Amino acid sequence: MLKQIQDALRQADFDAVLITSPQNRRYATGFPSSAGVCMIDAKGGYLFTDFRYIEAAKKRIGKGFFVDMVRRSYADMVNAACRQDGVKTIAYEEGFMTCADYTQWEQALEAKMVPMGSLLGDLREVKRQEEIDCCIAAQRIAERALAETLPDIRAGVTEKHIAALLEFRMLDYGGEKMSFDPIVVSGKKSSMPHGVPSEKVLEPGDFVTMDFGCTVEGYCSDMTRTVAVEYATEEMEKVYQIVLRAQEAGIAAAKPGVTGAMVDKAARDIIAAEGYGACFGHSFGHGIGIDIHEQPVAAPRIQKKLEAGNIISAEPGIYIPGRFGVRIEDMLCITPDGCLDLTNAPKQLTICK
């Protein structure tokens, strides 16, 4: 990513970027760490980190980066790099840096600090093929975990048990870590979009909503499937099919040049026409990459247009408080002439027995 960031810098009104967040540091260098500072200017990139990471960083980070171990302070090392490269203005990540950190950096740096704005965010929105491939690899792991967990979904097991099986299998099949804490909610709890797995026991006639994913090379997968235990009532089947039709409509609308609001509306109109508009309170989708929630977003009032290389979720839902909920979620990659559904898991209503 070094060249892409340097290309973007040529259009900016600052000389360098100071990257302190773990997400953007990994994006820029390809190296994961909990500590470190990255600086990039027209002449090259720098990664300063501590003793715990220095050996691995020097082995992994590619050409164009100078990697060194922090000694007295990160600010001293950034100042030295700025003096060497003639950097007068350096942009900071205002979306990540705390007020306390900003004050400390601003007092220590010789270069003038200015907000970075959307420079890194804009780059991260449009995925390169290798980034897309990582998301796909993570998705295949999640799908395998689901396929092998479905036989374990039956009356008498707990939500926590199913969540633990999904998590174990994703790690066992190659996931680095979870994209987020898995959501497994059943019965009346399935009406809570982000409910927390509990000791609740699955019962016949329950919907079970599972929202989960893992990472590969730092890139996330995200999927949701809703299944029924032993049987589904006529109403449950009806609501499920409405959500599926809404998702398919949103997927069909997703293509370059279409706004996030237009994609959301394609799905939302179907749910509203069936009388469940008030039961769909979140957006149709969000961006997925190094962060599980990033730009772009497919939601009402979002006028930003999608472009090829975006990865977004497709996750409409209907949630009837105190009764049940349904959500179906895939990952979409926007292509030059439409979109590609990156999710292979079946979407027909599954009855687990």
Side-chain angles (χ1 to χ4, degrees), residues 22 74 81-82 112 114 140-141 160 163 223 294 351:
Y74 286 118
C82 287
K112 180 183 178 181
V114 297
R140 295 296 170 265
I141 291 170
K160 279 188 175 180
M223 68 178 296
E294 55 183 53
I351 308 296

Side-chain angles (χ1 to χ4, degrees), residues 26 32 138 167 170-171 174-180 213-221 290:
R26 179 164 192 166
E167 189 163 352
M170 284 188 283
L171 292 174
E176 294 172 324
K177 62 179 183 178
M178 301 302 99
S179 301
F180 51 93
C214 64
T215 68
V216 168
E217 293 296 323
Y219 285 83
C220 297
S221 63
I290 289 178

Side-chain angles (χ1 to χ4, degrees), residues 149-190:
T149 300
L150 285 175
D152 297 300
I153 298 175
R154 60 185 181 274
V157 303
T158 66
E159 296 170 344
K160 279 188 175 180
H161 180 73
I162 299 304
L165 289 176
L166 288 170
E167 189 163 352
F168 168 76
R169 284 168 173 152
M170 284 188 283
L171 292 174
D172 196 38
Y173 301 152
E176 294 172 324
K177 62 179 183 178
M178 301 302 99
S179 301
F180 51 93
D181 290 338
I183 297 167
V184 177
V185 285
S186 63
K188 294 179 180 179
K189 285 184 62 186
S190 63

Side-chain angles (χ1 to χ4, degrees), residues 112-165:
K112 180 183 178 181
M113 291 181 68
V114 297
M116 188 183 300
S118 63
L119 184 144
L120 287 178
D122 289 345
L123 289 175
R124 283 179 54 179
E125 284 186 30
V126 179
K127 271 65 177 177
R128 297 165 293 152
Q129 188 58 51
E130 52 262 45
E131 295 176 280
I132 297 169
D133 291 343
C134 288
C135 287
I136 293 172
Q139 180 58 29
R140 295 296 170 265
I141 291 170
E143 290 167 356
R144 181 181 175 189
L146 174 64
E148 297 194 15
T149 300
L150 285 175
D152 297 300
I153 298 175
R154 60 185 181 274
V157 303
T158 66
E159 296 170 344
K160 279 188 175 180
H161 180 73
I162 299 304
L165 289 176

Side-chain angles (χ1 to χ4, degrees), residues 17-340:
V17 292
L18 177 69
I19 304 174
T20 55
S21 70
Q23 305 97 309
N24 283 333
R25 200 165 58 240
R26 179 164 192 166
Y27 177 73
T29 67
F31 180 73
S33 64
S34 63
V37 170
C38 175
M39 175 185 142
I40 295 174
D41 61 28
K43 295 184 178 180
Y46 300 82
L47 178 73
F48 307 122
T49 190
D50 65 28
F51 177 81
R52 296 170 296 169
Y53 296 106
I54 190 64
E55 181 180 3
K58 285 185 174 181
K59 288 180 179 178
R60 179 160 176 174
I61 296 177
K63 293 181 180 179
F65 272 95
F66 173 73
V67 180
D68 200 5
M69 187 171 74
V70 65
R71 291 170 179 83
R72 195 171 73 169
S73 76
Y74 286 118
D76 285 347
M77 302 188 82
V78 173
N79 278 332
C82 287
R83 287 194 297 270
Q84 175 179 296
D85 292 353
V87 171
K88 302 299 182 184
T89 56
I90 189 166
Y92 67 95
E93 303 165 278
E94 70 271 29
F96 294 96
M97 190 174 286
T98 66
C99 291
D101 286 342
Y102 171 81
T103 299
Q104 188 174 23
W105 278 104
E106 197 271 337
Q107 291 174 350
L109 290 184
E110 298 165 4
K112 180 183 178 181
M113 291 181 68
V114 297
M116 188 183 300
S118 63
L119 184 144
L120 287 178
D122 289 345
L123 289 175
R124 283 179 54 179
E125 284 186 30
V126 179
K127 271 65 177 177
R128 297 165 293 152
Q129 188 58 51
E130 52 262 45
E131 295 176 280
I132 297 169
D133 291 343
C134 288
C135 287
I136 293 172
Q139 180 58 29
R140 295 296 170 265
I141 291 170
E143 290 167 356
R144 181 181 175 189
L146 174 64
E148 297 194 15
T149 300
L150 285 175
D152 297 300
I153 298 175
R154 60 185 181 274
V157 303
T158 66
E159 296 170 344
K160 279 188 175 180
H161 180 73
I162 299 304
L165 289 176
L166 288 170
E167 189 163 352
F168 168 76
R169 284 168 173 152
M170 284 188 283
L171 292 174
D172 196 38
Y173 301 152
E176 294 172 324
K177 62 179 183 178
M178 301 302 99
S179 301
F180 51 93
D181 290 338
I183 297 167
V184 177
V185 285
S186 63
K188 294 179 180 179
K189 285 184 62 186
S190 63
S191 69
M192 296 182 244
H194 274 198
V196 177
S198 71
E199 299 293 344
K200 180 192 174 302
V201 171
L202 308 190
E203 301 175 28
D206 276 356
F207 262 146
V208 182
T209 296
M210 298 165 287
D211 189 345
F212 57 98
C214 64
T215 68
V216 168
E217 293 296 323
Y219 285 83
C220 297
S221 63
D222 191 5
M223 68 178 296
T224 305
R225 289 295 183 266
T226 300
V227 301
V229 179
E230 296 191 9
Y231 69 89
T233 66
E234 185 176 337
E235 182 185 19
M236 291 166 66
E237 172 78 29
K238 173 187 173 183
V239 169
Y240 189 94
Q241 295 304 325
I242 293 169
V243 172
L244 181 56
R245 286 196 291 114
Q247 192 209 38
E248 291 171 342
I251 292 172
K255 59 184 178 181
V258 171
T259 67
M262 293 167 67
V263 175
D264 182 274
K265 186 176 186 299
R268 195 170 300 276
D269 283 353
I270 288 177
I271 292 174
E274 296 287 349
Y276 292 97
C279 299
F280 178 25
H282 58 73
S283 66
F284 176 81
H286 56 84
I288 301 169
I290 289 178
D291 285 317
I292 190 59
H293 292 100
E294 55 183 53
Q295 298 297 319
V297 176
R301 297 182 295 280
I302 299 298
Q303 297 306 312
K304 186 169 186 177
K305 294 179 180 178
L306 298 175
E307 53 184 312
N310 294 158
I311 294 181
I312 63 171
S313 64
E315 53 176 308
I318 291 176
Y319 312 93
I320 306 172
R323 299 191 62 206
F324 62 81
V326 175
R327 180 166 69 257
I328 305 169
E329 178 183 18
D330 290 4
M331 289 202 306
L332 311 179
C333 181
I334 306 302
T335 63
D337 57 356
C339 74
L340 175 65

